Amino acid sequence: YGSYRRYAAKQCVSQLKGVHQASVLDVGCSTGILLKEFLRLRKSWDVRGIDIDPAAKEKAPEGLKDKIVIDDFLTHKFQKKFDVITFSFVIEHVLDLNGYIQKAVDLLNPGGVLFICVPDVDTPKAIQQGVRWKLVNDPRWKIGHLRWFNPSSAFYLAKQYGLELKRCHHMGELFYHFSVPCQNFLKKVLGTDHTGER
């Protein structure tokens, strides 16, 4: 989880090569974990987050509380545009997908980066685990996904909103490219994480 946030921030920073001052908006920022990673990489950047959960700001570390706004992204009146906007495991939950994407596009500065991370139903892990995949039907995860994405839908969204898709990448899925017997052998030899998976 932590390595994913570092990866996301690095990907966004790499798209803005040579930019020393930039502004970031993390939509659905929770307690600001991704904001913290941006600041770790670029202390001079102006990072902001928005979330609908009041507990997000309350539970955020002291240095991030003042960077988080509790409000609805669609109705919030932003006073500026941003160089980077992130949706990290957010848009699969929203009712008005088009409204979210369009507002983000409208809030981006020219040459800005819209970073979207979603579960991909076409990954080897999703296909192998089927209804057991925790992002579909695990009783431990009441996550309320309203829609599902794959690389084709990423290309479609980019085209629909006049965006250039720079990269579509799966993270942490290499293990599931191995056959199931090979996976079981590796789990036995190397052990598993706290979820009992890889």
Side-chain angles (χ1 to χ4, degrees):
Y1 186 72
S3 65
Y4 157 71
R5 302 297 186 205
R6 282 190 292 279
Y7 170 83
K10 284 180 182 177
Q11 289 300 308
C12 293
V13 168
S14 73
Q15 294 298 319
L16 295 175
K17 293 181 181 81
V19 175
H20 299 291
Q21 291 291 338
S23 55
V24 176
L25 174 65
D26 184 20
V27 180
C29 67
S30 186
T31 59
I33 299 166
L34 183 53
L35 299 177
K36 184 177 178 181
E37 290 301 326
F38 274 106
L39 287 173
R40 191 175 64 77
L41 293 170
R42 295 289 186 269
K43 290 185 182 0
S44 65
W45 283 20
D46 177 29
V47 299
R48 302 286 164 191
I50 186 167
D51 203 289
I52 59 170
D53 180 8
K57 188 169 186 159
E58 294 168 15
K59 294 178 181 176
E62 280 308 316
L64 292 175
K65 286 182 191 289
D66 63 334
K67 299 182 181 305
I68 297 173
V69 171
I70 303 302
D71 202 356
D72 184 331
F73 172 69
L74 287 180
T75 59
H76 186 77
K77 304 287 191 236
F78 292 92
Q79 303 300 314
K80 60 184 275 184
K81 293 195 173 204
F82 298 90
D83 299 301
V84 176
I85 297 177
T86 61
F87 290 126
S88 181
F89 297 106
V90 169
I91 63 170
E92 66 271 23
H93 300 275
V94 301
L95 290 171
D96 186 0
L97 174 65
N98 291 325
Y100 269 69
I101 302 293
Q102 187 61 61
K103 183 156 186 178
V105 169
D106 293 344
L107 285 171
L108 273 179
N109 282 324
V113 174
L114 176 58
F115 182 90
I116 298 174
C117 185
V118 290
D120 179 353
V121 294
D122 284 350
T123 61
K125 181 178 182 179
I127 292 166
Q128 284 177 28
Q129 293 184 348
V131 296
R132 293 180 297 106
W133 187 38
K134 70 181 178 185
L135 296 179
V136 173
N137 200 25
D138 188 326
R140 297 172 296 170
W141 295 70
K142 300 296 183 196
I143 52 180
H145 287 184
L146 302 176
R147 60 186 52 83
W148 302 100
F149 296 91
N150 62 14
S152 296
S153 57
F155 281 100
Y156 173 80
L157 279 175
K159 184 176 179 184
Q160 184 178 355
Y161 291 96
L163 302 169
E164 179 186 351
L165 186 61
K166 292 280 192 175
R167 188 163 188 208
C168 191
H169 177 72
H170 295 127
M171 212 184 137
E173 294 294 326
L174 177 63
F175 179 79
Y176 297 95
H177 286 272
F178 297 115
S179 67
V180 173
C182 184
Q183 289 176 33
N184 291 336
F185 172 76
L186 288 171
K187 285 180 185 178
K188 188 174 183 178
V189 171
L190 301 174
T192 60
D193 66 11
H194 68 284
T195 66
E197 292 189 359
R198 63 176 189 270

